Amino acid sequence: MSRLFIPLVTLLLTLSHSHAEIRQTSVWWLPRNVNMFGHEIDFIFYVILWITGITAVAVFSVMIYFIVKYRARPGVPAIHSHGNNTLEVIWTTIPVFIFLALAIYGNEQWTRMRLRTPPADALPVAVVGEQFGWNVRYPGPDGKLAKMTAAKVSKENPFGIDPQDPDGHDDFTTYGELVFPVGRPVRLYLSSKDVIHAFYVPEFRLYQDMVPGRVYDFVWFKAEATGYFQLACNQLCGQGHYKMFGKLSVVPEPEYEAWAKGKAPAATASSESSSTPVAVAGR
Ligand code: CUA
């Protein structure tokens, strides 16, 4: 049995990965960061890791030392301590300042990422999750997406748009395929058709739940490097959750323009997304 176990697991893993993008960067530590916001996120991650790491080592070292030093020995009377006010004040004050600093820094970064208006020149891209895939909508040559209304989202109209909306006539859609230009801000319009999904790209340090009945228009990022990544749904959304992934690539702007041109929509902008996978330029 044990001789079969390893080959069996390997086979299963191989099969289950056969249609997924393999993460190209480290799976043991943080994945590569390619988003402009990722530097501050990684910085605060490491600060917290060092603070908690040093604290853990210090606390356990003292504890082990005291356990050995003050162990019960025959003939040695126990020492009774009723605390030390100076020590109490010190070890309460220091964490208060550490937590305050982390909270202020985190709040400032969160404001920068999510609460300020995304840059006006950002490329708008709509992504609507469904069981189990991603409807993606890009603006055409006018650079504008049709307005999305959460109340209008339906099976036939995943983006909740008004078919008469002139901004939408040149939009084009893909299914599970996302291409972003490098160095240009991208503003996402996220929603869901059915249940809660989540837009998650580890290399972007970006995670946002997509709740049906809402359109999230405050998420934006700027990729600083090209590459191929996996968009993974990060909310357990049903039986097919494990395979709810999208192919995401960051390419130079001219390559993006060429790709977008090649996706030119049919004159009657259908709200139904195409499920035909089309190879990304340069792949
Ligand atoms: Cu969608 Cu998990």
Side-chain angles (χ1 to χ4, degrees):
M1 178 61 208
S2 63
R3 248 192 306 158
L4 274 177
F5 184 71
I6 303 251
L8 205 64
V9 168
T10 314
L11 179 70
L12 283 174
L13 284 176
T14 315
L15 286 177
S16 64
H17 278 87
S18 57
H19 56 272
E21 289 283 296
I22 306 285
R23 190 162 122 189
Q24 292 179 336
T25 54
S26 164
V27 289
W28 301 108
W29 196 236
L30 294 189
R32 178 160 82 109
N33 163 50
V34 298
N35 183 4
M36 63 177 278
F37 291 135
H39 307 288
E40 288 78 14
I41 292 173
D42 288 0
F43 169 74
I44 201 162
F45 171 85
Y46 284 115
V47 167
I48 294 171
L49 187 68
W50 275 108
I51 293 174
T52 51
I54 291 169
T55 309
V57 170
V59 166
F60 282 107
S61 306
V62 171
M63 193 180 79
I64 290 164
Y65 174 74
F66 278 19
I67 286 173
V68 175
K69 178 164 179 166
Y70 297 107
R71 68 189 184 279
R73 272 166 300 176
V76 181
I79 303 165
H80 294 275
S81 165
H82 295 281
N84 181 318
N85 283 339
T86 316
L87 266 181
E88 297 268 358
V89 169
I90 291 171
W91 70 46
T92 307
T93 312
I94 292 174
V96 165
F97 281 104
I98 291 175
F99 284 126
L100 270 178
L102 290 175
I104 291 168
Y105 182 80
N107 204 53
E108 196 167 304
Q109 295 310 322
W110 186 252
T111 306
R112 208 175 131 236
M113 284 171 224
R114 295 288 163 91
L115 303 180
R116 285 207 195 116
T117 313
D121 67 331
L123 172 73
V125 178
V127 183
V128 175
E130 67 173 29
Q131 288 171 320
F132 297 95
W134 308 90
N135 301 279
V136 189
R137 189 178 186 95
Y138 278 86
D142 69 356
K144 285 186 215 151
L145 274 182
K147 188 176 164 18
M148 292 164 72
T149 311
K152 287 194 189 136
V153 172
S154 68
K155 211 164 181 241
E156 297 73 36
N157 186 2
F159 297 99
I161 59 159
D162 175 355
Q164 306 305 323
D165 187 340
D167 287 346
H169 290 164
D170 62 345
D171 292 358
F172 65 90
T173 59
T174 77
Y175 194 77
E177 183 191 359
L178 301 99
V179 177
F180 296 127
V182 69
R184 179 171 170 197
V186 174
R187 179 178 186 171
L188 296 173
Y189 291 80
L190 303 172
S191 192
S192 168
K193 238 168 84 172
D194 35 42
V195 299
I196 303 176
H197 302 279
F199 188 98
Y200 177 48
V201 185
E203 289 86 351
F204 287 11
R205 307 293 189 268
L206 182 58
Y207 178 108
Q208 176 61 52
D209 275 358
M210 306 150 92
V211 179
R214 287 186 179 187
V215 176
Y216 297 86
D217 63 355
F218 47 75
V219 176
W220 68 283
F221 62 89
K222 187 166 91 182
E224 295 178 325
T226 58
Y228 300 109
F229 310 103
Q230 191 184 101
L231 164 64
C233 176
N234 210 11
Q235 280 294 345
L236 186 54
C237 54
Q239 273 190 333
H241 164 71
Y242 74 95
K243 59 173 181 183
M244 185 169 166
F245 66 91
K247 279 184 171 180
L248 192 161
S249 48
V250 177
V251 299
E253 179 110 31
E255 206 173 306
Y256 164 75
E257 299 289 352
W259 172 80
K261 213 174 239 176
K263 291 274 182 184
T268 48
S270 148
S271 54
E272 220 17 276
S273 45
S274 137
S275 57
T276 330
V278 178
V280 179
R283 285 203 90 166

